[in-house]
Amino acid sequence: MTQIVEKDRVLIFDTTLRDGEQSPGATMTHDEKLEIAGLLDDMGVDIIEAGFPIASEGDFKAVSDIARNARNSVICGLARANLADIDRCWDAVKHAERPRIHTFIGTSPLHRAIPNLTQDEMADRIHETVTHARNLCDNVQWSPMDATRTEWDYLCRVIEIAIKAGATTINIPDTVGYTAPVESADLIRRLIATVPGAEDVVFATHCHNDLGMATANSLAAVAGGARQIECTINGLGERAGNTALEEVVMALKVRHDIMPWHTGIDTRKIMNISRRVATVSGFPVQFNKAIVGKNAFAHESGIHQDGMLKNPENFEIMRPSDVGLSDTNLVMGKHSGRAALRAKLSDLGFELGDNQLKDVFVRFKELADRKKEVYDDDLVALMRVGEDPENDRLKIKSLHVVCGTKGPQKADLVMEIDGVEQSTTQSGDGPVDATFNAVKALFPHRAKLQLYQVHAVTEGTDAQATVSVRMEEDGRIVTGQSADTDTVVASAKAYVNALNRLIVRREKSAPGSDTREISYKDVS
Ligand code: KIV
Ligand code: ZN
């Protein structure tokens, strides 16, 4: 099948929900995955890799539901080089209007040794599995994992087999982040010039960031002829992560003079999705990260601030509004009214109905009473937490902690559990530990704490802390989040938020639905 792709158009393939979610600790809930997929679709992502359907029941369901809900994007699922994986993948993606199967196998000498296949045996396996995928779906992507460390002749041979078997996209993964820009461009250019049938398929680039070169390598691959970039929001991904969507898209936009390719991404949606992915994955964005870091548009030094006031172009190569940040960084405070809050939230991408605004306004006033200046990031944190307190079975009524150099640290906690007030005093190794012990004493459970993360939302000692807590019980994984100017209170609320979600999950999903037992070895 010849694919018609406009010559200078680069397709954006987002794998936040597959490769990104694979990074240890970044597990998202079902609803969070659906929400992120909706945002990706909305911002113009061409292909969403929604998950690895055979990896778990939870992955299968997430990919199926994302496929059903997709509006414009192609929905893709990952499958190893075996028929069962590919069938399972098809069963999940087939609900999409535009489904894609992505199947892969490690082709480098190191990776061939894992399933212990000879070059010929692996070549046969590729022919068989790509043919099978193509019989199910007319949009098939094939990847030789660890392509950048695969022998040149063998790489050409297996790509030719995959194309002949019906692959429509050939992805060239730099699985271990080993290549460099010159080599990345050269590899794609030579493959396109050498492999028979290359002109009928789209070549894709998939770069990991182990040497900090993923974005540069992806752009170099495009210069070499690739027309699909695989990437994730905030560069989320295993080890040092993947190419960051926001970086390649903005680089192509800002330096169009020397990189004359374009994407279909609405860049004004970048900041919102970046913040959302940071929240749900529990991986905060580093302050100085390009494009989406908190400091990416901050100008501290006097000379820079003066230069900015005279002409923003002195120190900015793009406008904050290009990525969805408001130009006017209007700081809110306790005198700000409801109309100002509505306008500000709308600027930040939140359109609220009257009832929602009423609720948020109460929380905003509480915050403004404790904090002199309420910044954009404070408001985003306020919007993202405590989503549906009305339906929560567990509620914190009051918390008082004793902490300091002289132990024991203690927590006096009053909670309402199913409408009944209960209280306890517990000690622990520090105020947070004492508080978590108190919650557990009032609501005994078997869930294990997998992650506890604190992140200051803004500067200053009165900054809000956002706390993320992830817990696992019988293979069900839940995350809880909260924000407060008091770190211990934020921690308690995040913990209780996670427990409330766990109570819902116990009713709605089977044990083990979030755990994966998968190995790349299993190709047969
Ligand atoms: O990095 C990699 O090689 C991958 C493949 C599964 C495409 O993620
Ligand atoms: Zn990868």
Side-chain angles (χ1 to χ4, degrees), residues 18-19 206 208 242:
R18 199 280 297 167
D19 212 330
H206 176 114
H208 282 264
N242 292 64

Side-chain angles (χ1 to χ4, degrees), residues 285-345:
V285 175
Q286 80 195 47
F287 280 13
N288 57 342
K289 177 133 182 85
I291 320 290
V292 290
K294 205 161 117 49
N295 290 353
F297 293 94
H299 302 276
E300 270 301 339
S301 85
I303 297 176
H304 282 214
Q305 285 184 349
D306 185 48
M308 280 294 296
L309 290 173
K310 292 199 168 97
N311 179 357
E313 283 183 27
N314 281 334
F315 288 102
E316 273 179 5
I317 55 169
M318 54 202 151
R319 302 294 307 144
S321 53
D322 293 343
V323 295
L325 277 171
S326 54
D327 268 330
T328 49
N329 203 355
L330 187 70
V331 178
M332 309 282 289
K334 67 175 172 189
H335 300 298
S336 308
R338 210 175 284 224
L341 180 65
R342 187 196 285 274
K344 183 71 178 174
L345 287 172

Side-chain angles (χ1 to χ4, degrees), residues 21 103 105 139 155 173 178 201 209 222 249 288-289 308 343 462:
E21 213 235 359
T103 179
I105 194 163
N139 190 336
L155 188 60
Y178 180 67
V201 299
N209 202 30
V222 172
V249 168
N288 57 342
K289 177 133 182 85
M308 280 294 296
D462 67 347

Side-chain angles (χ1 to χ4, degrees), residues 98-396:
R98 301 166 68 207
R100 174 181 290 190
I101 296 174
H102 176 193
T103 179
F104 74 99
I105 194 163
T107 52
S108 66
L110 282 166
H111 284 259
R112 287 200 301 270
I114 300 173
N116 196 17
L117 293 180
T118 64
Q119 288 198 357
D120 288 347
E121 285 165 346
M122 184 166 282
D124 288 348
R125 175 62 54 86
I126 292 163
H127 174 76
E128 183 196 10
T129 49
V130 176
T131 305
H132 184 69
R134 186 56 204 268
N135 285 337
L136 296 169
C137 180
D138 68 2
N139 190 336
V140 173
Q141 171 164 330
W142 181 73
S143 297
M145 187 164 77
D146 207 14
T148 52
R149 294 191 300 169
T150 299
E151 306 92 322
W152 167 252
D153 287 346
Y154 190 58
L155 188 60
C156 291
R157 177 179 166 199
V158 287
I159 291 174
E160 186 181 346
I161 290 171
I163 294 175
K164 285 207 174 110
T168 46
T169 298
I170 298 293
N171 175 37
I172 304 299
D174 183 30
T175 305
V176 290
Y178 180 67
T179 197
V182 180
E183 188 182 65
S184 176
D186 190 52
L187 178 61
I188 301 281
R189 195 175 292 119
R190 287 196 300 136
L191 285 172
I192 293 175
T194 310
V195 178
E199 63 286 357
D200 293 335
V201 299
V202 171
F203 271 77
T205 172
H206 176 114
C207 297
H208 282 264
N209 202 30
D210 298 66
L211 292 173
M213 294 194 281
T215 296
N217 288 337
S218 298
L219 293 169
V222 172
R227 286 296 175 271
Q228 175 177 301
I229 297 179
E230 308 211 352
C231 47
T232 60
I233 301 293
N234 300 339
L236 200 66
E238 294 205 60
R239 307 185 311 276
N242 292 64
T243 297
L245 179 147
E246 59 278 5
E247 292 178 10
V248 281
V249 168
M250 288 311 290
L252 288 174
K253 185 169 174 153
V254 173
R255 294 310 312 273
H256 193 68
D257 53 336
I258 54 163
M259 295 187 284
W261 308 286
H262 64 273
T263 71
I265 299 292
D266 179 351
T267 63
R268 292 163 309 167
K269 307 263 164 92
I270 283 178
M271 214 56 214
N272 187 37
I273 191 166
S274 161
R275 286 170 167 156
R276 195 61 189 133
V277 167
T279 306
V280 301
S281 67
F283 276 57
V285 175
Q286 80 195 47
F287 280 13
N288 57 342
K289 177 133 182 85
I291 320 290
V292 290
K294 205 161 117 49
N295 290 353
F297 293 94
H299 302 276
E300 270 301 339
S301 85
I303 297 176
H304 282 214
Q305 285 184 349
D306 185 48
M308 280 294 296
L309 290 173
K310 292 199 168 97
N311 179 357
E313 283 183 27
N314 281 334
F315 288 102
E316 273 179 5
I317 55 169
M318 54 202 151
R319 302 294 307 144
S321 53
D322 293 343
V323 295
L325 277 171
S326 54
D327 268 330
T328 49
N329 203 355
L330 187 70
V331 178
M332 309 282 289
K334 67 175 172 189
H335 300 298
S336 308
R338 210 175 284 224
L341 180 65
R342 187 196 285 274
K344 183 71 178 174
L345 287 172
S346 162
D347 250 13
L348 293 170
F350 301 100
E351 300 297 342
L352 303 190
D354 287 347
N355 280 345
Q356 259 180 311
L357 181 69
K358 217 162 111 191
D359 169 54
V360 174
F361 190 66
V362 172
R363 289 195 277 139
F364 160 70
K365 282 286 177 185
E366 279 167 15
L367 178 63
D369 272 342
R370 281 181 286 148
K371 206 171 175 296
K372 262 203 321 281
E373 291 172 322
V374 178
Y375 297 99
D376 288 5
D377 287 339
D378 288 316
L379 290 174
V380 172
L382 199 71
M383 290 302 299
R384 297 305 194 198
V385 294
E387 287 139 12
D388 195 7
E390 279 310 302
N391 293 330
D392 287 350
R393 280 181 52 195
L394 314 180
K395 290 177 183 147
I396 293 179

